[in-house]
């Protein structure tokens, strides 16, 4: 039986080639395997082809962010989905995986960017509360969406490409629905401000999926969001400590 690995999965495309190498340098020493989907590339860079720790592929179509899910892991692998515009600190992997001591990986997914659909005012109106990955967050909090640039999950729980490709460009929504439908809970976990940092430059901002897909609000994305909201379970935005103190989650 093959030994379980710690893996990082990311998708990128040629305009990000410069900042991609910063991300690779930050995460590669921390994992057993780095899987890179090179959307739109003509050839695999020599630095990737020569490194046994890197599994790089050029898809026959533009998978966009769904390319993170083009590499099937083993069931017991730990998979970190990452982005090409984030620097991951040297203790990122060990610190992130440590949360599975209290939130077992078979039933939970953790990350650093999240959104919870919560009651916003006394009228009962609901809206999104957001946690950005580069800002301080002092508590473990249950969320309804995790940004797939900073998630950690068990290999058997990772969505496969055929489950997520038709949501390319907005895979965070499909990823969230996949886990919610399976009864898994998603959490943002504590960190200090600036522990994770962005390498995005002003000239590259317009290439991001927020600008190229999200702002256009395609019908498929709106349908996905409506389906996600319809399936939201209890305790959105609640702190883990409070849920456990109330007996709503086993200690």
């Amino acid at each position: 039986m093959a030994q379980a690995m710690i893996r990082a999965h990311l998708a990128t495309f040629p305009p990000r080639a410069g900042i991609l190498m910063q991300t690779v340098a930050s995460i590669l020493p921390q994992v057993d395997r780095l899987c890179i989907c090179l959307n739109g590339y003509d050839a695999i860079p020599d630095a990737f082809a020569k490194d046994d720790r890197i599994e790089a592929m050029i898809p026959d179509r533009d998978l966009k962010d769904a390319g993170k899910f083009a590499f099937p892991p083993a069931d017991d692998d730990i998979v970190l989905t990452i982005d090409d515009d984030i620097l991951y600190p040297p203790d990122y992997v060990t610190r992130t995986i440590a949360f599975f001591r209290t939130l077992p990986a078979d039933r939970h997914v953790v990350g650093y960017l999240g959104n919870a659909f919560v009651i916003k005012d006394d009228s009962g109106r609901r809206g999104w509360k957001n946690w950005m990955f580069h800002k301080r967050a002092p508590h473990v909090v249950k969320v309804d969406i995790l940004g797939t640039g900073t998630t950690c999950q068990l290999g058997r729980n990772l969505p496969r490409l055929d489950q997520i490709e038709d949501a390319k460009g907005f895979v965070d929504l499909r990823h969230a629905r996949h886990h919610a439908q399976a009864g898994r809970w998603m959490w943002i976990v504590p960190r200090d401000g600036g522990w994770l940092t962005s390498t995005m430059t002003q000239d590259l901002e317009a290439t991001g999926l927020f600008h190229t897909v999200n702002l256009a609000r395609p019908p498929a994305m709106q349908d996905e969001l409506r389906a996600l909201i319809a399936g939201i379970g209890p305790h959105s935005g609640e702190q883990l400590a409070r849920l456990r103190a109330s007996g709503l989650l086993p200690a």
Side-chain angles (χ1 to χ4, degrees):
M1 180 181 296
Q3 185 175 359
M5 292 192 297
I6 298 172
R7 308 161 58 103
H9 291 196
L10 74 86
T12 190
F13 60 115
R16 301 286 181 87
I19 61 173
L20 168 67
M21 300 312 294
Q22 299 176 58
T23 295
V24 170
S26 73
I27 198 69
L28 186 56
Q30 304 184 55
V31 298
D32 299 312
R33 176 153 306 170
L34 173 59
C35 299
I36 308 175
C37 175
L38 298 164
N39 291 303
Y41 271 67
D42 295 323
I44 294 174
D46 287 346
F48 297 165
K50 294 177 181 178
D51 195 317
D52 291 340
R53 297 169 296 173
I54 296 177
E55 179 181 348
M57 58 92 76
I58 300 172
D60 60 5
R61 58 201 183 279
D62 183 7
L63 295 177
K64 293 185 169 60
D65 47 356
K68 298 174 189 179
F69 304 91
F71 306 89
D75 283 353
D76 293 331
D77 288 348
I78 296 291
V79 181
L80 302 111
T81 61
I82 65 173
D83 277 348
D84 60 7
D85 59 355
I86 298 177
L87 285 182
Y88 298 89
D91 59 344
Y92 179 78
V93 172
T94 55
R95 185 168 166 180
T96 303
I97 291 173
F99 287 105
F100 287 142
R101 295 173 190 157
T102 56
L103 293 163
D106 58 338
R107 302 190 305 277
H108 302 278
V109 183
V110 300
Y112 295 89
L113 187 156
N115 315 88
F117 201 55
V118 300
I119 294 175
K120 301 282 281 190
D121 55 35
D122 293 340
S123 71
R125 182 180 63 90
R126 300 188 77 181
W128 292 103
K129 182 174 181 179
N130 307 312
W131 289 263
M132 303 306 293
F133 69 83
H134 59 282
K135 293 186 177 181
R136 177 178 179 269
H139 305 291
V140 180
V141 178
K142 185 177 182 290
V143 295
D144 303 302
I145 302 172
L146 284 173
T148 56
T150 62
T151 77
C152 185
Q153 57 201 282
L154 201 59
R156 63 169 57 90
N157 296 338
L158 185 81
R160 293 334 193 227
L161 182 61
D162 62 353
Q163 297 173 306
I164 212 162
E165 183 178 356
D166 64 334
K168 64 183 180 182
F170 47 94
V171 297
D172 291 1
L173 303 181
R174 178 64 59 80
H175 174 265
R177 285 185 63 206
H178 173 84
H179 290 302
Q181 289 170 348
R184 289 185 284 271
W185 285 18
M186 292 165 282
W187 307 85
I188 60 105
V189 291
R191 70 290 192 155
D192 292 330
W195 183 65
L196 283 162
T197 56
S198 173
T199 58
M200 180 62 71
T201 57
Q202 189 172 4
D203 60 309
L204 289 176
E205 283 185 0
T207 68
L209 292 172
F210 177 76
H211 293 278
T212 60
V213 176
N214 285 236
L215 289 181
R217 297 187 63 79
M221 187 186 82
Q222 296 185 58
D223 289 345
E224 194 74 27
L225 180 59
R226 281 191 287 267
L228 185 151
I229 291 173
I232 284 176
H235 313 307
S236 297
E238 290 287 331
Q239 295 177 20
L240 172 64
R242 292 178 180 173
L243 290 173
R244 286 204 162 133
S246 301
L248 297 171
L249 192 71

